[in-house]
Amino acid sequence: MKIGILCYPTFGGSGVVATELGKALAEKGHSIHFITYSQPVRLEHFQENVFYHEVTVADYPLFEFAPYETALTSKLVDVARFEQLDLVHVHYAVPHASVAYMAKQILKEQGIHLPFITTLHGTDITLVGKNESYSPVVTFGINQSDAVTSVSESLRASTYQNFKITKEIEVIPNFIDLQRFSKLKKEHFRRAIAPNNERIIIHASNFRPVKRVSDVVEVFKRINQVIPSKLLMIGDGPDRSKVEKECREYVACDSIRFLGKLEAVEEVLSVGDLFILPSESESFGLAALEAMACQVPVISSNTGGIPELNVHGVTGFMSNVGDVDDMAKNALSILTTDASLTVFKSNALEQARKFDIQRIMPLYEQLYLRVISAK
Ligand code: GMT
């Protein structure tokens, strides 16, 4: 199949999912065309069937906001015609669903049929999409899609709750490439980070308010008062400097290290003993799945789609949003003995295997075939 993919090219979860899916489909022989404003971060190597089409937005002094949607639509129309795309798969509804709808209408006038599938990822529904400045367009884009998927049951339910949806939403959960995300031999990292064999706690996110990064520090302080431990903070974003300041006020602040936007997250996850994800809302929690695939148990909030991933008492524990005492208590119950840590680590990997990309990708392929043949 010839598939176009619209996504955000940045470190966000939806862009990562879109890129990893495209790469895996290309490996199976499909032609994949990414259409976005810069090279997707996970598209770092040459791959035979992968193509990248950059959207350039022509500026003009009249524009206070250059019309990206118009440029993206025009690019999609152009690529679809020239490459004879069979369908387009858009990740993150805003603004990609309405862009694909518009392109479909333009191509229809030219006698070309271009069906589109919209995958809902989270904040496009729970935060951004339901804002009244976007919701009529988002609702329309979803309802006009030839098929709609969401990354968790929880996101499916909130989409029906927040929008007037007339379309069936199918759940296709996020996935993980277990070839890339697996526990690597990085003992020299462990020795450098934790020379006295301290437990290594990790958080990775885009440091947006929804991630509640301050809670990570609060949980860590409570752990650190009881057992020798180090905290690694991966990623960057609006709350980073605030949280760094909070860390500086902590007596053992030298136990906390900010690593920034690391590309090879799996190398650091490989030496982790615990991952903390205390988010306010999380439609799936891809970062937690990446940790689990590297045998790192998860302490998380119980919000959104997290319970569909983190099994309470098995792969880690969940607590109410903001309950840092409970999170710390649960973390200590995992970390205190090697025996319990070993069990949680192995359970985490076993659970991650359920989300193996090789299991999930065929669900998308079946959907593509269904949509194309429904012409
Ligand atoms: O976490 C973010 O703010 C980024 C956002 C995105 O769409 O790029 O992530 C969402 O999509 C991920 C991939 O499907 C999910 O794993 C995240 O849970 C979801 N984030 C939220 O719902 C906050």
Side-chain angles (χ1 to χ4, degrees), residues 12-14 92 121-123 174 206 208 211 281-286:
S14 62
Y92 207 90
H121 278 273
T123 48
N174 282 336
N206 49 30
R208 294 194 189 132
K211 301 293 175 185
S281 95
E282 199 70 67
S283 68
F284 182 85
L286 187 62

Side-chain angles (χ1 to χ4, degrees), residues 131-339:
N131 184 301
E132 64 183 22
S133 45
Y134 300 113
S135 67
V137 178
V138 173
T139 309
F140 182 79
I142 294 173
N143 284 332
Q144 292 299 322
S145 305
D146 293 275
V148 184
T149 73
S150 76
V151 299
S152 63
E153 292 289 347
S154 147
L155 182 60
R156 178 179 186 270
S158 29
T159 309
Y160 282 124
Q161 241 164 47
N162 290 303
F163 301 86
K164 282 205 171 78
I165 299 300
T166 54
K167 199 93 203 162
E168 179 53 34
I169 302 175
E170 298 171 46
V171 176
I172 301 187
N174 282 336
F175 49 78
I176 188 85
D177 176 358
L178 291 165
Q179 305 282 351
R180 172 174 175 179
F181 285 89
S182 62
K183 194 173 172 63
L184 308 167
K185 285 203 160 53
K186 291 282 167 193
E187 282 317 303
H188 55 297
F189 276 23
R190 176 171 271 283
R191 280 194 299 276
I193 297 161
N196 301 311
N197 214 16
E198 294 92 340
R199 298 293 196 209
I200 298 178
I201 325 285
I202 300 176
H203 170 76
S205 76
N206 49 30
F207 285 61
R208 294 194 189 132
V210 71
K211 301 293 175 185
R212 297 184 66 99
V213 185
S214 296
D215 285 2
V216 175
V217 179
E218 286 308 313
V219 175
F220 175 70
K221 284 183 193 168
R222 288 160 176 75
I223 298 171
N224 191 245
Q225 276 154 16
V226 181
I227 52 172
S229 45
K230 299 280 183 182
L231 173 64
L232 300 177
M233 303 285 256
I234 303 174
D236 207 339
D239 279 355
R240 175 168 166 183
S241 56
K242 181 191 93 171
V243 175
E244 264 193 275
K245 275 190 199 130
E246 287 163 10
C247 290
R248 283 181 195 158
E249 281 155 25
Y250 178 51
V251 276
C253 76
D254 58 346
S255 300
I256 306 172
R257 226 164 125 167
F258 287 78
L259 303 178
K261 287 183 183 172
L262 273 188
E263 295 233 348
V265 194
E266 66 279 12
E267 294 184 351
V268 175
L269 288 172
S270 291
V271 298
D273 295 309
L274 195 76
F275 189 83
I276 305 182
L277 189 69
S279 307
E280 181 85 39
S281 95
E282 199 70 67
S283 68
F284 182 85
L286 187 62
L289 175 57
E290 292 179 346
M292 286 158 75
C294 296
Q295 299 183 33
V296 185
V298 174
I299 288 294
S300 68
S301 55
N302 52 13
T303 184
I306 297 180
E308 294 168 49
L309 175 67
N310 189 15
V311 186
H312 190 72
V314 178
T315 61
F317 288 98
M318 293 182 294
S319 309
N320 291 332
V321 172
D323 193 345
V324 291
D325 288 327
D326 193 56
M327 290 180 193
K329 183 190 91 198
N330 290 333
L332 287 167
S333 79
I334 296 176
L335 294 171
T336 308
T337 70
D338 285 344

